[in-house]
Amino acid sequence: MELYVHERDEQILIVAVDGGLDQSTAEDFTEQISQLIDQGQTQMIIDCTNLTYVSSYGLSTLLSLHRQMAKRGGDVKLAGVAGLVMQLLRLTHIDKLLSIYPDVNQARLAFRSS
C-alpha cells in the first residue's frame, strides 16, 4: 500500500491510498496519518479510488482513525470506495459509521456544508 498527500484544499487534507490495507500495511498507514493529525489536521478525505483490498485488520484501522479524528473534534471521510472494499464495508455495517462518498469532490462538499 502506498499513501500520499494528494492535495490540500483550505483546511481539508486529501490523502490517496493505493493497494491494500491489511496487517502488513496498517502500521505504516496509521503512523503516517497520526503524524498529520498530531500536526493539527482535523478534516481529512481518504481517497480510496485505488484501494483494492481491506482486511479485518484494515477495517479496524479505519475505525481507529475515525475515533482518533472525532476525539480531536475532526472528521475523516472516505471517497471513491468501490468493488469488494465497498461490499465489505456494507457487509460489516461500517458504512453506517464512516462517512463514505462516491468521489473526492462530493466529500469535499460535505465538509463545506457542515
Side-chain angles (χ1 to χ4, degrees):
M1 184 204 69
E2 190 173 331
L3 175 106
Y4 54 95
V5 174
H6 183 60
E7 68 179 277
R8 266 190 207 273
D9 181 9
E10 297 176 19
Q11 297 298 323
I12 304 167
L13 180 68
I14 302 168
V15 178
V17 292
D18 288 341
L21 183 58
D22 57 18
Q23 188 171 1
S24 66
T25 60
E27 184 177 331
D28 187 46
F29 174 84
T30 301
E31 186 177 302
Q32 290 182 49
I33 294 293
S34 291
Q35 287 176 2
L36 295 168
I37 293 170
D38 289 343
Q39 293 171 5
Q41 190 66 49
T42 59
Q43 296 181 330
M44 189 178 303
I45 297 171
I46 306 293
D47 182 357
C48 301
T49 303
N50 295 314
L51 184 64
T52 56
Y53 173 77
V54 176
S55 71
S56 59
Y57 199 90
L59 291 176
S60 175
T61 300
L62 291 174
L63 289 173
S64 176
L65 171 61
H66 171 73
R67 283 190 301 270
Q68 190 177 7
M69 290 291 278
K71 264 171 85 172
R72 296 187 180 228
D75 192 16
V76 61
K77 299 181 185 312
L78 304 181
V81 182
L84 294 175
V85 175
M86 189 63 194
Q87 288 178 12
L88 181 61
L89 294 177
R90 285 185 181 136
L91 181 67
T92 57
H93 300 286
I94 292 175
D95 63 325
K96 306 287 188 244
L97 299 172
L98 301 176
S99 301
I100 303 172
Y101 296 88
D103 57 46
V104 169
N105 288 331
Q106 290 186 34
R108 186 182 289 132
L109 290 172
F111 270 121
R112 291 189 177 140
S113 66
S114 59

